[in-house]
Structures are given as C-alpha cells and as structure tokens.
Amino acid sequence: MEFFERFAIPHPDPMIYASMVAIVLVSIAIVAGLTYFKKWGYLWDEWLTTTDHKRIGIMYLISALIMLFRGGADAVMMRVQLSSPEMEFLNAQHYNEVFTTHGVVMIFFMAMPFVIGLMNYIVPLQIGARDVAFPRLNALSFWLFFAGAMLFNISFVIGGSPDAGWTNYFPLASNEFSQSVGVNYYMWALQISGIGTLMTGINFIVTIFRMRAPGMKLMKMPLFTWSALITNVIIVFAFPVLTVALLMGTFDRQFGTSFFATGNGGMDMYWANLFWVWGHPEVYILILPAFGIYSEIISTFSERNLYGYKSMVASMVLISLLSFFVWVHHFFTMGQGALTNSIFSITTMAIAIPTGIKIFNWLLTMWKGKIRFTVPMLYSVAFIPLFTVGGVTGVMLAMASADYQYHNTMFLVAHFHNTIIPGVVYAMLAGLTYWWPKMFGFILNERIGKWAFWFNVVGFVLAFFPMYITGLDGQARRMYTYSESTGFGPLNMLSFAGAGLMAIAFILIAYNIFYSIKNSPRNVGDDPWNARSLEWATHNPVPEYNFAITPEVNSSQALWDHKKKSHTLFKGKIDKIHMPNNSGIPIIMAGILFVFGFSFVFSIWPAVIIAAIAFFSCMLYSSFENDHGRYISAEEVKETEEKFGGAKK
Amino acid sequence: MKIDHSQPLEYSTHKNEMNILGFWIFLGAEIMLFATLFTSYFIYENRVGNGPSGAEIFEITPVLIETVVLLTSSFTIGLAINAMRLNRPKAMLWFLGITLILGATFLSVEIYEFVHYYHVGATLQTSAFTGILLTTLGTHGAHVTFGLFWGIAIFLQIKKHGLTPETANKSFNYSLYWHFLDVMWIFIFSFIYLKGMM
Ligand code: HEM
Ligand SMILES: [Cu+2]
C-alpha cells in the first residue's frame, strides 16, 4: 500500500474527486464507443499514425480547443473566487493550483498548439509544398506535445497539481515550499512538449527554406509564412534555454542539487533569469504568427494589397532580435541596480517601435479598402485598438521605476491579457474561421460567429479593463482573496461578469462548430472569401497531395495574380506524386516518454530506466527501418482531381 | 528519388540536402543548449558553498588524455568522410571504427574522472558549483554516449547496404555531430579546466 500512497491527492476537495470520476467515466465512454462502433482501426490508420501535415494540424487544433476549455474552467473558478471580498469558494492552496494550471495550460497547451496547428495546416499550402520537410518528425512533435499535455492534465487527480505559478519561481518551487509532486509534473510536462516544439522549429525552417514552389523567392512569401519562419527561428534559439532550466529545476527537486536554493552556493534568481530568457521570446513566438494571420485576413477582406510588405517583414525580424534582450523587465524590482534596469527598460520600449509600424501598416491596408466585415475581419479590426492599449500599458510597465508600483499587481495581469487575448486568441479564432473552409469545405455560421465575437469583445473589456484600475490601486495578483475595506469588490464583480460573457462566447463558438457541421451549405467553392494567397489555389477541402501539379508563382499573392492578371499557376501535366508513409513510431515513442515522465515525477526509477531503454530502442529501430514513402499514380491523382471538381489551372 | 550525380553522395537527393540543413539547425539549437550550460557554469563557478573549488579537484592527466583522444577521434571521423567521398567503404569503416573506439576510450576516462570527483567529495549535491560542473560534463558525456550508439548503427548499416545516398547522408550528419562535440569539448577544456586550474 505504501507504494500507492504517493499517488494520493495532497489537498483533497470534493470538486477534485468529482473530476476524477468524470475523467474515468469519459475515458471509459470513449474506449467503449470506439470499440462498439469499431473505429479503432480507422483512428489508428487515418489519424494516430498519420504523417500528413493537414491531419496533424487538425489534431493540434482539436487539442488546443479542448485545452482552451480546461484553461477556461480554471479562469472562471478564479473569477468566481475573486468576485466579492472574502469569498470562500477556493481556499488559498486551491487558488494557487488553479492559477498555476491556468497559466501553463493556456500558454503551452492552448496557445502553442493553436499556433503550431495553423502553421502545420497552412504553411505547406502557402508555399506550394506537398508536406513538411520531415513528416514523421512532425508527427513526433505533435505526439510529444500531446504526451506533455496529458501528463500535465492528470496532475491534479494523481499526486497533486503544481502550485508555484506558471513562472514557477524558486525558492517557492523548491521541495521545501512545494512539497507535492506537482512541480515535478510541471518540469516533465514542459520538457517533453518543449522538445516537440523544438523539433517543429527545425522542421518548419527547413520546409520554408527548401520546399517553396518555383518562383516564390523569400520576399514573395505570404506574410503568414514569413511570420512562421521567424517564429520558428525564435523557437530554435529560445527553447534550449528552457530545456536547461527545466533540467536544473528537476535536479534541484529530485537529485538534491542546489542551483536555485538559497544556500550552498545556489541562486534563486537564476531561475527567473533563465525562465524569462526563454519566456519573453516565447510571448513573441505566440504573437508573431498572430500578426501573420491578421495580415492575411486584413488584406483579403479589404481587397487590397498588404500595405508595406517589406516593412512588415523587417519589423518582425527586428522584434525577434529585440525579444532576446528584454527579459529583465519581468523583475525590475528584484534589485539588479539602476544601470541594468535602465538598459532593459530602453530595449523593452524599443519593441513598441516595430510593433507600431505594423499597426500603421494594417490601418493603411484598410484605408480606402472595400472592407467586408466577416467574422475573421471583425476579430482583426477589434484587435487593432485593443492590442494598442495592451502595448501602451506594456510601455508603462517598461518604465523601471514606475514598475515598482505596478509589478505583480492586477495591472500586469490586465496588460498581458490585453496583449494575449486580442492579440493571440482573437487571431487564432479569426484564423480558424478564415481557414475553416480550407480544412473542411464549409463556412462556419457567420451569424453565430458574430454573436460570439461581440460576447468576446464586450466580455474582454469588462473582464480586464477594471483590473488596470484595481491594479493601480494596489490589488495584488495571485492573492486568493481581499478584504471588504479595500473597495476592490465592485470592480472585481464587473470582471466576473465579463468573464461570464467570455465563457458564453466560447460556448457559442463550440456550438457554432456543431451547428455548422450539420447545417452549413457544402457548395462554397474553392475560394469562398475571394482570397489572395496560394493556399486558396487548390481544392476545398484539400486532397492529400495538396497540389496535383506544383504551382509556379511570381508574387506573394499567387491566387490574386491568377484571378486578376490571368497568371497560369499550374503548368505541365499531372505526374505521379511521392508521399510519406504512415508510421506508428511517433505515437509509440511519445507514449513511452509519457511513461518515462510519469515515473520520473514519482521517482519510480526502474520504470524510468525501462522507458528510457525502450525510447532509444525505438530510435534505433527507426534508424534501421528503410522507409522510402510511396507514390500516388498519375491516374489516381486525375481521378481524385475529378472528384474534387476538376483539375486546377 | 532523383539522384544528382554532380553532387557528393550525401547531398545527392533533395531529401538528403534537407536532412543536412535540418541537422545544421539542430546543431544551432545544441549550441544554444551548451551556451546556456556554460553561462550557468560561469555564474556558479565561484559559488562553492562548503564544497571544494575547481582548482582543488581538477586533475590534469585524465583531462589531457580525454582531450587528446577526442581530438584524434575528430580527425579520424574526418578521414572517414574523406574515404566516403573517395568511395572507399572499407577504409571508411576502418576510420569510423577507430573513431568509435576513441569515443569509448574518452568515455571510460571520463567515468574514471567522475569516480574521482565522487571520492574527493564533489558530487551533484555538494554545492551549486559541483552541481553545474557535473551537469555540464554529464551533458557532454551523454551526447558522446548517444553518439557511440548512433555510430554503431551507422557502421552496421554501411556494412549491410554499402555506401548509398542514405548511409552517406547519415554518416555525414554523424560527422557533423562528432565535430560539434569536439568543439564543445574544447570550450570545456579551456573555460572549465584550464581556467579552473589557473
Ligand atoms: C509593446 C509591447 C510590449 C511591452 C513594452 C511589454 C512590456 C512588459 C513588461 C515590462 C512586463 C513586466 C511587468 C511586470 O512584471 O511588472 C510584461 C509582462 C508580460 N507581458 Fe508584455 N509587453 C509587450 C507586449 C507583450 C505581448 C505582445 C505579449 C504576449 C503576446 C506580452 C505578454 C506578457 C506576459 C505574459 C507578461 C508577464 C507574465 C507574468 O509575469 O506572469 N507582452 N510586459
Ligand atoms: Cu517580457
């Protein structure tokens, strides 16, 4: 029995037991359902072993949406707890756990897979490629992300949630102050999914450099692809820092090193440094693809060329460089002295310049455009003013001396939600809606979409703008309650109402998906938005080989050229097409790493060693395997093209 | 697969070329990884707590042996790739084999070195300094260990299939990896050992 005691929950609560039961029931239902409908084979052949970038993209997106709801549930719990003074819904410990999992889930398991999912689906299509450079590695990336996400998500029912914040500062995160295995989960869940992200980075850089269609010079890539390229470069440089930080953190907690301890030569602030050397570039990993998506959408629905293409690219490159030199702004108050603070204060403010350039470019793109207010466009238009507020408050925070007032208050919480929600989340919703017909061949209902949009925007403003005020008045972040006499009550109640509206927005979005699957017309054609870039030049939904003939392009708006300047995209005749084979190795390797991570969390060393050996055996097996892919014959391609409504010109 | 005969075998297909580019980018990430470790090392270098300092525990002999052995192995893997380019698989296998033996020698000496640290009371737990020292060396050593298994796999594949675009491609990436580990060792040698003993 002693062995099993370690899996008990350290701070039990009826809600946690209820979730436990729910998880077990849902799992049983899924397994039973798959068995009853005999869908295991289909699932395995078509999805779990796929190496098709489109299917992998869709799996990322599904996971991201599920995680959005998990993180959203955490958010609602926090807002309930803070809705009025001295609330007794969550106690201090549970509040700690909830804000920690909320942050981690939203950043790592919602925003990241959302961004990477859209990149997966769209980038190869935008550059006229048949897949990514390393399809099997791509599948491995996905499954590692998924294993990490699952590991993180079981923590609260097996052994206890992490509770030291998504930034996981030491010494709070050390064994002394975080006694459950929660923080171990944090370390391994992020380590495993982080390695997957790093491989995505490598994969997409090679894809974008080496697999572009003839004629697509770097400066003729659609902007979303540009943003993906820059993002992936940031990933490759930033993620190894996180890898080392997590490793050192694991060692401190499980092998008794004293890197981040307060004695024995250790230095607790070093964790904060490492974390933000990765962490600040990370926020740009999230926002740059969002910028790319907005650029595509704004230009499409204004029916105009994107204004200032070159300055758009240049400003993204500049942002990516600067993003590595600002990390200290996250702890101005921790005593590094005036000179250091001033330098980082200036580098931080400098980021506002390229960002501002982009804002003006979007505005000038819309200037005199024929604007169509579709759902994706609504999100993009709302993004511009809201994100500007986020940027301006960022510059306020960047003033080191003033930051002594705002740091670790609700003002900061308002700032980063103000950048991340209108910035990243709206972009993901806009991108999902925009490319939905690309993926599934029908449009999401616009009416429900617009309702969801308004709930989202009004909810956002109500939920977060009051925090600027209470923050300036001194309401601290990460505090589970406050007293009546502070006077924070009414504004927090307003935030709660806003959060409620946002919850309705997301429920509407989910409902819209079900509604549209059933009711949306399927005859939207291949170009439902009158779009401009290459991904819209093939069929909707996309056949597995993407393009029957490799397109030839001469600008970033290949389809527009085709439509307006009668440029022929597809020259030559249909030939056989080389495609990657499916493989079960990626999911098996990720499963093994899941076991590895889980056993490591609980220090079950024999299982750790066996899993490690199994993992390397899989690598060895792959090395000896001779997989040359397969060919789709020209006849088969022609047949498919007919089925999709005839070959493209 | 289209094979371009004007290129060396390892670059001869589009896939191969992408593999090599991808591997370079991977090495870029590895450089970031080691750069982070080195930075951490410098941060903790003098934070020895109650434990020993570098000057007290470093021994020049094993370190010199390790250095010579690893540098030589970098040379022999270069010779192996040269033999590959000349299309002489036999010679290539010899040089690859020698590289692996040198790698294993390096590793044995490093294990000896670790045992020594243990005996003089410098373990992971002793202080932040010993912790980062062993973590940095250990990360390098783990890379060498991985390299040994990978090298054996390539050796067997060349033995079985001869020099094909695939095996040549793997060998070439492998040589990049091995040179990379060597460069990292030069940093370790200069900035950890020499600096520490001075
Ligand atoms: C002009 C642009 C921006 C500036 C000048 C800026 C500045 C800052 C500063 C100075 C802080 C630290 C404040 C403190 O801890 O007291 C901060 C925190 C933060 N910012 Fe920004 N920021 C900008 C844009 C963004 C963007 C685009 C994102 C995300 C997409 C973002 C996400 C965050 C996050 C997540 C935090 C802190 C999280 C935490 O401590 O848990 N920021 N920002
Ligand atoms: Cu930052």
Side-chain angles (χ1 to χ4, degrees), chain A residues 345-597:
Chain A
S345 189
I346 291 166
T347 52
T348 304
M349 291 182 201
I351 290 202
I353 299 168
T355 316
I357 294 177
K358 299 187 77 74
I359 300 268
F360 282 109
N361 282 339
W362 288 312
L363 290 174
L364 288 168
T365 307
M366 289 196 283
W367 183 256
K368 291 191 176 161
K370 272 185 272 169
I371 299 181
R372 279 175 288 153
F373 285 105
T374 57
V375 170
M377 187 62 173
L378 281 174
Y379 279 112
S380 312
V381 172
F383 148 78
I384 295 176
L386 289 178
F387 186 78
T388 306
V389 177
V392 169
T393 56
V395 176
M396 287 172 71
L397 287 160
M399 296 185 265
S401 39
D403 190 50
Y404 277 76
Q405 174 67 19
Y406 329 123
H407 181 61
N408 267 352
T409 66
M410 294 310 257
F411 188 89
L412 168 71
V413 175
H415 154 68
F416 69 75
H417 285 90
N418 205 163
T419 51
I420 289 182
I421 293 175
V424 185
V425 177
Y426 287 7
M428 295 308 124
L429 297 175
L432 188 71
T433 317
Y434 178 59
W435 282 309
W436 189 273
K438 191 81 249 160
M439 301 177 196
F440 303 109
F442 61 93
I443 294 180
L444 287 174
N445 185 287
E446 283 274 302
R447 231 168 72 87
I448 305 176
K450 283 179 185 168
W451 274 103
F453 164 79
W454 285 109
F455 270 102
N456 236 331
V457 171
V458 175
F460 167 76
V461 171
L462 282 183
F464 290 97
F465 281 19
M467 291 185 204
Y468 281 125
I469 301 168
T470 60
L472 286 177
D473 283 345
Q475 188 186 1
R477 74 189 286 207
R478 293 177 175 172
M479 287 291 288
Y480 81 109
T481 193
Y482 51 90
S483 73
E484 177 101 55
S485 59
T486 56
F488 298 147
L491 285 175
N492 275 282
M493 184 51 94
L494 206 58
S495 282
F496 167 66
L501 296 187
M502 289 182 75
I504 295 175
F506 288 112
I507 292 169
L508 278 176
I509 288 167
Y511 170 69
N512 197 4
I513 293 177
F514 290 108
Y515 179 87
S516 307
I517 289 175
K518 273 182 115 170
N519 300 316
S520 278
R522 306 291 140 138
N523 52 355
V524 294
D526 289 342
D527 183 19
W529 307 116
N530 194 13
R532 310 168 87 83
S533 45
L534 190 55
E535 78 270 26
W536 296 100
T538 180
H539 306 282
N540 288 344
V542 187
E544 64 164 329
Y545 46 76
N546 294 355
F547 298 93
I549 297 171
T550 304
E552 283 178 40
V553 303
N554 52 21
S555 87
S556 65
Q557 317 194 59
L559 183 64
W560 200 251
D561 292 347
H562 171 69
K563 288 190 286 196
K564 302 289 150 166
K565 301 184 195 156
S566 53
H567 165 75
T568 317
L569 283 167
F570 304 101
K571 295 181 194 132
K573 60 174 183 35
I574 291 176
D575 203 357
K576 64 180 185 196
I577 294 176
H578 184 249
M579 297 299 292
N581 279 328
N582 280 8
S583 167
I585 293 281
I587 185 173
I588 293 173
M589 282 171 83
I592 292 170
L593 269 193
F594 177 88
V595 175
F596 176 88

